[in-house]
Coordinates of all heavy atoms in Angstrom, one line a residue:
M145 N 0.8 -1.2 0.0 CA 0.0 0.0 0.0 C 0.9 1.2 0.0 O 1.8 1.4 0.8 CB -0.9 0.0 1.2 CG -1.8 1.2 1.3 SD -2.9 1.1 2.7 CE -2.2 2.5 3.7
T146 N 0.6 2.1 -0.9 CA 1.4 3.4 -1.0 C 0.5 4.5 -0.4 O -0.6 4.6 -0.7 CB 1.6 3.7 -2.5 OG1 2.3 2.6 -3.1 CG2 2.5 4.9 -2.6
L147 N 1.2 5.2 0.5 CA 0.5 6.4 1.1 C 0.7 7.6 0.2 O 1.8 8.0 0.1 CB 1.1 6.6 2.5 CG 0.4 7.8 3.3 CD1 -1.0 7.5 3.6 CD2 1.2 8.0 4.6
I148 N -0.4 8.0 -0.3 CA -0.3 9.3 -1.1 C -0.6 10.4 -0.2 O -1.3 10.3 0.8 CB -1.3 9.2 -2.3 CG1 -2.7 9.1 -1.9 CG2 -0.9 8.1 -3.3 CD1 -3.7 9.2 -3.1
W149 N -0.1 11.6 -0.6 CA -0.1 12.7 0.3 C -1.6 13.2 0.5 O -1.9 13.6 1.6 CB 0.8 13.9 -0.2 CG 0.3 14.5 -1.5 CD1 0.6 14.2 -2.7 CD2 -0.6 15.6 -1.5 NE1 -0.1 15.0 -3.6 CE2 -0.8 15.9 -2.9 CE3 -1.2 16.4 -0.6 CZ2 -1.6 17.0 -3.4 CZ3 -2.0 17.5 -1.0 CH2 -2.2 17.7 -2.4
Q150 N -2.4 13.0 -0.4 CA -3.8 13.4 -0.2 C -4.5 12.6 0.9 O -5.3 13.2 1.6 CB -4.6 13.3 -1.6 CG -4.2 14.2 -2.6 CD -3.1 13.7 -3.6 OE1 -2.4 12.7 -3.2 NE2 -3.1 14.2 -4.8
D151 N -4.2 11.3 0.9 CA -4.8 10.5 1.9 C -4.3 10.9 3.3 O -5.1 11.0 4.3 CB -4.4 9.0 1.7 CG -5.2 8.0 2.5 OD1 -6.3 8.4 3.0 OD2 -4.8 6.9 2.5
A152 N -3.0 11.3 3.4 CA -2.5 11.7 4.7 C -3.1 13.1 5.2 O -3.5 13.2 6.3 CB -1.0 11.8 4.6
V153 N -3.3 14.0 4.2 CA -3.8 15.3 4.6 C -5.3 15.2 4.9 O -5.7 15.7 5.9 CB -3.6 16.3 3.4 CG1 -4.4 17.6 3.6 CG2 -2.1 16.6 3.2
L154 N -6.0 14.4 4.2 CA -7.5 14.2 4.5 C -7.6 13.5 5.8 O -8.5 13.8 6.6 CB -8.2 13.5 3.3 CG -8.4 14.3 2.0 CD1 -8.8 13.3 0.9 CD2 -9.3 15.4 2.2
M155 N -6.7 12.5 6.1 CA -6.8 11.8 7.4 C -6.6 12.8 8.5 O -7.3 12.8 9.5 CB -5.7 10.7 7.4 CG -5.7 10.0 8.8 SD -4.2 9.1 9.0 CE -2.9 10.3 9.0
A156 N -5.5 13.6 8.4 CA -5.2 14.6 9.5 C -6.4 15.5 9.7 O -6.8 15.8 10.8 CB -3.9 15.4 9.1
T157 N -7.0 16.1 8.6 CA -8.1 17.0 8.8 C -9.3 16.3 9.4 O -10.0 16.9 10.2 CB -8.4 17.7 7.5 OG1 -8.8 16.8 6.5 CG2 -7.3 18.6 7.0
G158 N -9.5 15.1 9.0 CA -10.6 14.3 9.5 C -10.5 14.1 11.0 O -11.5 14.2 11.8
F159 N -9.3 13.7 11.5 CA -9.1 13.6 12.9 C -9.2 14.9 13.7 O -9.7 14.9 14.8 CB -7.7 12.9 13.2 CG -7.6 11.4 12.9 CD1 -6.7 10.9 12.1 CD2 -8.6 10.6 13.5 CE1 -6.6 9.5 11.9 CE2 -8.5 9.2 13.3 CZ -7.6 8.7 12.5
V160 N -8.7 16.0 13.1 CA -8.9 17.3 13.7 C -10.4 17.6 13.9 O -10.8 18.0 15.0 CB -8.2 18.4 13.0 CG1 -8.5 19.7 13.5 CG2 -6.6 18.1 13.1
F161 N -11.2 17.4 12.8 CA -12.6 17.6 12.9 C -13.2 16.7 14.0 O -14.1 17.2 14.8 CB -13.3 17.4 11.6 CG -13.2 18.5 10.6 CD1 -12.8 18.3 9.3 CD2 -13.4 19.8 11.0 CE1 -12.7 19.3 8.4 CE2 -13.2 20.9 10.1 CZ -12.9 20.6 8.8
S162 N -12.8 15.5 14.1 CA -13.4 14.6 15.1 C -13.1 15.1 16.5 O -13.9 15.1 17.4 CB -12.8 13.2 14.9 OG -13.1 12.6 13.7
M163 N -11.8 15.5 16.7 CA -11.4 16.0 18.0 C -12.1 17.3 18.4 O -12.5 17.5 19.5 CB -9.9 16.2 18.1 CG -9.1 14.9 17.9 SD -9.5 13.7 19.2 CE -10.3 12.4 18.2
A164 N -12.4 18.1 17.4 CA -13.1 19.4 17.6 C -14.5 19.2 18.1 O -15.1 20.1 18.7 CB -13.0 20.2 16.3
L165 N -15.1 18.0 17.8 CA -16.5 17.8 18.2 C -16.6 17.3 19.6 O -17.7 17.3 20.1 CB -17.1 16.8 17.2 CG -17.5 17.4 15.8 CD1 -17.9 16.3 14.9 CD2 -18.5 18.4 15.9
I166 N -15.5 16.9 20.2 CA -15.6 16.3 21.6 C -16.2 17.3 22.5 O -17.1 16.9 23.3 CB -14.2 15.8 22.0 CG1 -13.8 14.6 21.2 CG2 -14.2 15.5 23.5 CD1 -12.4 14.0 21.5
P167 N -15.8 18.6 22.6 CA -16.4 19.5 23.5 C -17.9 19.7 23.2 O -18.7 19.8 24.2 CB -15.7 20.9 23.2 CG -14.4 20.5 22.6 CD -14.7 19.2 21.9
T168 N -18.4 19.6 22.0 CA -19.8 19.7 21.7 C -20.5 18.4 22.2 O -21.7 18.5 22.7 CB -20.0 19.9 20.2 OG1 -19.2 21.0 19.7 CG2 -21.5 20.1 19.8
I169 N -19.9 17.3 22.0 CA -20.5 16.1 22.5 C -20.7 16.1 24.0 O -21.7 15.7 24.6 CB -19.7 14.8 22.1 CG1 -19.8 14.6 20.6 CG2 -20.2 13.6 22.8 CD1 -18.9 13.6 20.0
R170 N -19.7 16.7 24.7 CA -19.8 16.8 26.2 C -20.6 17.9 26.7 O -21.1 17.9 27.8 CB -18.4 16.9 26.7 CG -17.5 15.7 26.4 CD -16.2 15.8 26.9 NE -16.3 15.9 28.4 CZ -15.3 15.8 29.3 NH1 -14.1 15.6 28.8 NH2 -15.6 15.9 30.5
A171 N -20.9 18.9 25.9 CA -21.7 20.1 26.3 C -23.2 19.8 26.4 O -23.7 18.8 25.8 CB -21.5 21.2 25.3
K172 N -23.9 20.6 27.2 CA -25.3 20.5 27.3 C -26.0 20.9 26.0 O -27.0 20.3 25.6 CB -25.8 21.3 28.5 CG -25.7 20.6 29.8 CD -26.5 21.4 30.8 CE -27.0 20.4 31.8 NZ -28.1 20.9 32.6
E173 N -25.6 22.0 25.5 CA -26.3 22.5 24.2 C -25.7 21.8 23.0 O -24.6 21.5 22.9 CB -26.0 24.0 24.1 CG -26.7 24.8 25.2 CD -26.6 26.3 25.0 OE1 -26.4 26.7 23.8 OE2 -26.7 27.0 26.0
K174 N -26.6 21.4 22.1 CA -26.3 20.7 20.9 C -26.7 21.4 19.7 O -27.6 22.3 19.7 CB -27.0 19.3 20.9 CG -26.8 18.5 22.2 CD -25.4 18.1 22.3 CE -25.1 17.4 23.6 NZ -23.8 17.1 24.0
P175 N -26.1 21.1 18.5 CA -26.5 21.8 17.3 C -28.0 21.3 16.9 O -28.4 20.3 17.5 CB -25.5 21.2 16.3 CG -24.4 20.7 17.0 CD -24.9 20.3 18.4
A176 N -28.6 22.0 16.0 CA -29.9 21.6 15.6 C -30.0 20.2 15.0 O -29.0 19.8 14.4 CB -30.4 22.7 14.6
R177 N -31.1 19.6 15.1 CA -31.2 18.2 14.6 C -30.9 18.1 13.1 O -30.3 17.2 12.7 CB -32.7 17.7 14.9 CG -32.9 17.2 16.2 CD -34.3 16.6 16.3 NE -34.7 16.8 17.7 CZ -35.8 17.5 18.1 NH1 -36.6 18.0 17.2 NH2 -36.1 17.7 19.3
L178 N -31.5 19.1 12.4 CA -31.3 19.0 10.9 C -29.8 19.2 10.6 O -29.3 18.5 9.7 CB -32.2 20.1 10.3 CG -32.2 20.0 8.7 CD1 -32.8 18.7 8.3 CD2 -33.1 21.2 8.2
T179 N -29.1 20.0 11.3 CA -27.7 20.2 11.1 C -27.0 18.9 11.3 O -26.1 18.5 10.5 CB -27.1 21.3 12.0 OG1 -27.8 22.5 11.7 CG2 -25.6 21.4 11.8
C180 N -27.3 18.2 12.4 CA -26.6 16.9 12.7 C -26.9 15.9 11.7 O -26.0 15.2 11.2 CB -27.1 16.4 14.1 SG -26.6 17.5 15.5
L181 N -28.2 15.8 11.3 CA -28.6 14.8 10.3 C -28.0 15.0 9.0 O -27.4 14.1 8.4 CB -30.1 14.8 10.2 CG -30.7 13.8 9.2 CD1 -30.4 12.3 9.7 CD2 -32.2 14.0 9.1
I182 N -28.0 16.2 8.4 CA -27.5 16.5 7.1 C -26.0 16.3 7.1 O -25.4 15.6 6.2 CB -27.8 17.9 6.7 CG1 -29.3 18.0 6.4 CG2 -27.0 18.3 5.4 CD1 -29.8 19.4 6.1
T183 N -25.3 16.7 8.2 CA -23.8 16.6 8.2 C -23.5 15.1 8.3 O -22.5 14.7 7.6 CB -23.3 17.4 9.4 OG1 -23.7 18.7 9.3 CG2 -21.8 17.3 9.5
A184 N -24.2 14.3 9.1 CA -23.9 12.9 9.3 C -24.1 12.2 8.0 O -23.2 11.3 7.6 CB -24.7 12.3 10.4
I185 N -25.2 12.5 7.3 CA -25.4 11.8 6.0 C -24.4 12.1 4.9 O -23.8 11.3 4.2 CB -26.8 12.1 5.5 CG1 -27.9 11.5 6.4 CG2 -27.0 11.7 4.0 CD1 -29.3 11.9 6.1
M186 N -24.0 13.4 4.9 CA -23.0 13.8 3.9 C -21.6 13.3 4.2 O -20.9 12.9 3.3 CB -22.9 15.4 3.8 CG -24.2 16.0 3.3 SD -24.6 15.5 1.6 CE -26.1 14.6 1.9
L187 N -21.3 13.2 5.5 CA -20.0 12.6 5.8 C -20.0 11.1 5.5 O -18.9 10.6 5.1 CB -19.7 12.8 7.3 CG -19.2 14.2 7.7 CD1 -19.2 14.4 9.2 CD2 -17.9 14.6 7.0
A188 N -21.1 10.4 5.7 CA -21.2 9.0 5.3 C -21.0 8.8 3.8 O -20.2 7.9 3.4 CB -22.5 8.4 5.8
I189 N -21.6 9.7 3.1 CA -21.4 9.6 1.6 C -19.9 9.8 1.2 O -19.3 9.1 0.4 CB -22.3 10.6 0.9 CG1 -23.8 10.2 1.0 CG2 -21.9 10.8 -0.6 CD1 -24.8 11.2 0.6
N190 N -19.3 10.9 1.8 CA -17.9 11.2 1.6 C -17.0 10.0 2.0 O -16.0 9.7 1.3 CB -17.5 12.5 2.3 CG -18.1 13.7 1.6 OD1 -18.5 13.7 0.5 ND2 -18.1 14.8 2.3
A191 N -17.3 9.4 3.1 CA -16.5 8.3 3.5 C -16.5 7.1 2.5 O -15.5 6.5 2.2 CB -16.9 7.8 4.9
G192 N -17.7 6.9 2.0 CA -17.9 5.9 1.0 C -17.1 6.2 -0.3 O -16.5 5.3 -0.8
I193 N -17.2 7.4 -0.7 CA -16.4 7.8 -1.9 C -14.9 7.7 -1.7 O -14.2 7.2 -2.5 CB -16.8 9.3 -2.2 CG1 -18.2 9.4 -2.7 CG2 -15.8 9.8 -3.3 CD1 -18.8 10.8 -2.9
L194 N -14.4 8.1 -0.5 CA -13.0 8.0 -0.2 C -12.6 6.5 -0.2 O -11.5 6.2 -0.6 CB -12.7 8.7 1.1 CG -12.8 10.2 1.1 CD1 -12.7 10.7 2.5 CD2 -11.7 10.8 0.2
T195 N -13.5 5.6 0.3 CA -13.1 4.2 0.3 C -13.0 3.7 -1.1 O -12.1 2.9 -1.4 CB -14.2 3.4 1.1 OG1 -14.3 3.9 2.4 CG2 -13.9 2.0 1.1
T196 N -13.9 4.1 -2.0 CA -13.9 3.6 -3.4 C -12.6 4.1 -4.1 O -12.2 3.5 -5.0 CB -15.1 4.0 -4.2 OG1 -15.2 5.4 -4.3 CG2 -16.4 3.4 -3.5
L197 N -12.1 5.2 -3.6 CA -10.9 5.8 -4.2 C -9.6 5.2 -3.6 O -8.5 5.5 -4.1 CB -10.8 7.3 -4.0 CG -11.9 8.1 -4.8 CD1 -11.9 9.6 -4.4 CD2 -11.6 8.0 -6.3
G198 N -9.8 4.3 -2.6 CA -8.7 3.7 -2.0 C -8.0 4.5 -1.0 O -6.8 4.2 -0.6
L199 N -8.6 5.6 -0.5 CA -8.1 6.5 0.5 C -8.5 6.0 1.8 O -9.4 6.6 2.5 CB -8.5 7.9 0.2 CG -8.0 8.5 -1.2 CD1 -8.6 9.9 -1.4 CD2 -6.5 8.5 -1.3
W200 N -8.0 4.9 2.3 CA -8.5 4.2 3.5 C -8.3 5.0 4.8 O -9.2 5.1 5.6 CB -7.8 2.9 3.6 CG -8.1 2.0 2.5 CD1 -7.3 1.7 1.4 CD2 -9.3 1.3 2.3 NE1 -7.9 0.9 0.5 CE2 -9.1 0.6 1.0 CE3 -10.4 1.1 3.0 CZ2 -10.1 -0.2 0.5 CZ3 -11.4 0.3 2.5 CH2 -11.3 -0.4 1.3
L201 N -7.2 5.7 4.9 CA -6.9 6.5 6.1 C -7.9 7.6 6.2 O -8.5 7.9 7.3 CB -5.5 6.9 6.2 CG -4.4 5.8 6.3 CD1 -3.0 6.4 6.2 CD2 -4.6 5.0 7.5
A202 N -8.1 8.3 5.1 CA -9.0 9.4 5.1 C -10.5 8.9 5.4 O -11.2 9.6 6.1 CB -9.0 10.1 3.7
S203 N -10.8 7.8 4.8 CA -12.1 7.2 5.0 C -12.4 6.9 6.5 O -13.4 7.2 7.0 CB -12.3 6.0 4.2 OG -13.5 5.4 4.4
I204 N -11.4 6.4 7.1 CA -11.5 6.0 8.6 C -11.7 7.3 9.4 O -12.6 7.4 10.3 CB -10.3 5.2 9.0 CG1 -10.3 3.8 8.4 CG2 -10.3 5.1 10.6 CD1 -9.0 3.1 8.6
S205 N -10.9 8.3 9.1 CA -11.0 9.6 9.9 C -12.3 10.3 9.6 O -12.9 10.8 10.6 CB -9.8 10.5 9.7 OG -9.8 11.0 8.3
I206 N -12.8 10.3 8.4 CA -14.1 10.9 8.1 C -15.2 10.1 8.8 O -16.2 10.7 9.2 CB -14.3 11.0 6.6 CG1 -13.3 11.9 5.9 CG2 -15.7 11.4 6.2 CD1 -13.3 13.3 6.5
T207 N -15.1 8.8 8.8 CA -16.0 7.9 9.5 C -16.1 8.3 11.0 O -17.2 8.3 11.6 CB -15.7 6.4 9.3 OG1 -15.8 6.2 7.9 CG2 -16.7 5.6 10.0
L208 N -15.0 8.6 11.6 CA -15.0 9.0 13.0 C -15.7 10.3 13.2 O -16.5 10.4 14.1 CB -13.5 9.1 13.5 CG -12.8 7.8 13.7 CD1 -11.3 8.2 14.1 CD2 -13.4 7.0 14.7
S209 N -15.5 11.2 12.3 CA -16.3 12.5 12.4 C -17.8 12.2 12.2 O -18.6 12.8 12.8 CB -15.8 13.5 11.3 OG -14.5 13.9 11.5
D210 N -18.1 11.3 11.2 CA -19.5 10.9 11.0 C -20.1 10.3 12.2 O -21.2 10.7 12.6 CB -19.5 9.9 9.8 CG -20.9 9.6 9.4 OD1 -21.8 10.5 9.4 OD2 -21.2 8.4 9.0
I211 N -19.4 9.4 12.9 CA -19.9 8.8 14.1 C -20.2 9.9 15.2 O -21.2 9.9 15.9 CB -18.9 7.8 14.7 CG1 -18.9 6.6 13.7 CG2 -19.3 7.4 16.1 CD1 -17.8 5.6 14.0
A212 N -19.3 10.9 15.3 CA -19.5 12.0 16.2 C -20.8 12.8 15.9 O -21.5 13.1 16.9 CB -18.3 12.9 16.2
W213 N -21.1 13.0 14.7 CA -22.3 13.7 14.3 C -23.5 12.9 14.6 O -24.6 13.4 15.0 CB -22.3 14.2 12.8 CG -21.5 15.4 12.7 CD1 -20.2 15.6 12.3 CD2 -21.9 16.7 13.1 NE1 -19.8 16.9 12.3 CE2 -20.8 17.6 12.8 CE3 -23.1 17.3 13.6 CZ2 -20.9 19.0 13.1 CZ3 -23.1 18.6 13.8 CH2 -22.1 19.5 13.6
W214 N -23.5 11.5 14.4 CA -24.6 10.7 14.7 C -24.8 10.7 16.2 O -26.0 10.7 16.7 CB -24.4 9.3 14.2 CG -24.6 9.2 12.7 CD1 -23.6 8.9 11.8 CD2 -25.8 9.3 12.0 NE1 -24.2 8.9 10.5 CE2 -25.5 9.1 10.6 CE3 -27.1 9.5 12.4 CZ2 -26.5 9.2 9.6 CZ3 -28.1 9.6 11.4 CH2 -27.8 9.4 10.1
I215 N -23.7 10.7 17.0 CA -23.8 10.8 18.5 C -24.6 12.1 18.8 O -25.5 12.1 19.7 CB -22.5 10.7 19.1 CG1 -21.9 9.3 19.0 CG2 -22.5 11.2 20.6 CD1 -20.5 9.2 19.4
L216 N -24.2 13.2 18.2 CA -24.8 14.5 18.5 C -26.3 14.4 18.2 O -27.1 15.0 18.9 CB -24.1 15.6 17.7 CG -22.8 16.0 18.3 CD1 -22.0 16.9 17.3 CD2 -22.9 16.7 19.6
L217 N -26.6 13.8 17.0 CA -28.0 13.7 16.7 C -28.8 12.9 17.7 O -29.9 13.3 18.1 CB -28.2 13.1 15.3 CG -29.6 12.8 14.8 CD1 -30.4 14.2 14.7 CD2 -29.6 12.1 13.5
F218 N -28.2 11.8 18.1 CA -28.9 10.9 19.1 C -29.0 11.7 20.4 O -30.1 11.7 21.1 CB -28.1 9.7 19.4 CG -28.6 8.8 20.4 CD1 -29.8 8.0 20.1 CD2 -28.1 8.7 21.7 CE1 -30.3 7.2 21.1 CE2 -28.6 7.9 22.6 CZ -29.7 7.1 22.4
Q219 N -28.0 12.4 20.9 CA -28.1 13.2 22.1 C -29.1 14.3 21.9 O -29.9 14.6 22.9 CB -26.7 13.9 22.4 CG -25.7 12.9 22.9 CD -24.3 13.6 23.1 OE1 -24.0 14.7 22.5 NE2 -23.5 13.0 24.0
R220 N -29.2 14.9 20.8 CA -30.2 16.0 20.5 C -31.6 15.4 20.6 O -32.5 16.1 21.1 CB -30.0 16.5 19.1 CG -30.9 17.7 18.7 CD -30.5 18.9 19.5 NE -31.3 20.0 19.1 CZ -31.9 20.8 19.9 NH1 -31.8 20.7 21.2 NH2 -32.7 21.8 19.4
R221 N -31.8 14.2 20.2 CA -33.1 13.6 20.3 C -33.5 13.3 21.7 O -34.7 13.1 22.0 CB -33.2 12.3 19.5 CG -33.0 12.6 18.0 CD -33.2 11.4 17.1 NE -34.6 11.0 17.2 CZ -35.0 9.8 16.9 NH1 -34.2 8.9 16.4 NH2 -36.3 9.5 17.0
Q222 N -32.5 13.2 22.6 CA -32.8 12.9 24.0 C -33.3 14.1 24.8 O -33.8 14.0 25.9 CB -31.6 12.3 24.7 CG -31.1 11.0 24.1 CD -32.1 9.9 24.1 OE1 -32.8 9.7 25.0 NE2 -32.2 9.3 22.9
I223 N -33.0 15.3 24.2 CA -33.4 16.6 24.9 C -34.9 16.8 24.8 O -35.5 16.6 23.8 CB -32.6 17.7 24.3 CG1 -31.1 17.5 24.6 CG2 -33.0 19.0 24.9 CD1 -30.2 18.5 24.0

């Protein structure tokens, strides 16, 4: 497996986005349901596209961000 620079950059940004959501997951106030839903769906689509392109590391990091948005949606529904 050859690591191309685009995979590495997309992976790094995906992990940063995932980490940036931790304070929101822990906070009482949550983003709007529609924001969570649309973002989660779009990230899932992007992760799938990255997988088909063979950008596995980027796909994994985007999937982590996607999971965080689904968590936020679930938490939002509990309020």
Side-chain angles (χ1 to χ4, degrees):
M145 178 176 113
T146 308
L147 179 65
I148 59 174
W149 69 270
Q150 292 93 336
D151 196 15
V153 171
L154 288 169
M155 176 195 64
T157 59
F159 281 127
V160 169
F161 280 134
S162 297
M163 296 301 110
L165 286 173
I166 291 173
T168 306
I169 290 171
R170 296 182 61 169
K172 274 192 150 195
E173 294 186 25
K174 306 297 176 190
R177 279 187 211 121
L178 190 57
T179 299
C180 296
L181 180 64
I182 291 171
T183 304
I185 290 170
M186 294 300 109
L187 284 172
I189 291 168
N190 286 341
I193 291 168
L194 292 169
T195 300
T196 65
L197 292 172
L199 300 174
W200 297 101
L201 298 175
S203 177
I204 291 167
S205 68
I206 296 300
T207 300
L208 289 175
S209 293
D210 186 34
I211 290 168
W213 279 101
W214 285 110
I215 289 170
L216 287 168
L217 177 64
F218 179 75
Q219 288 177 335
R220 183 73 177 132
R221 293 185 69 197
Q222 301 301 315
I223 296 175

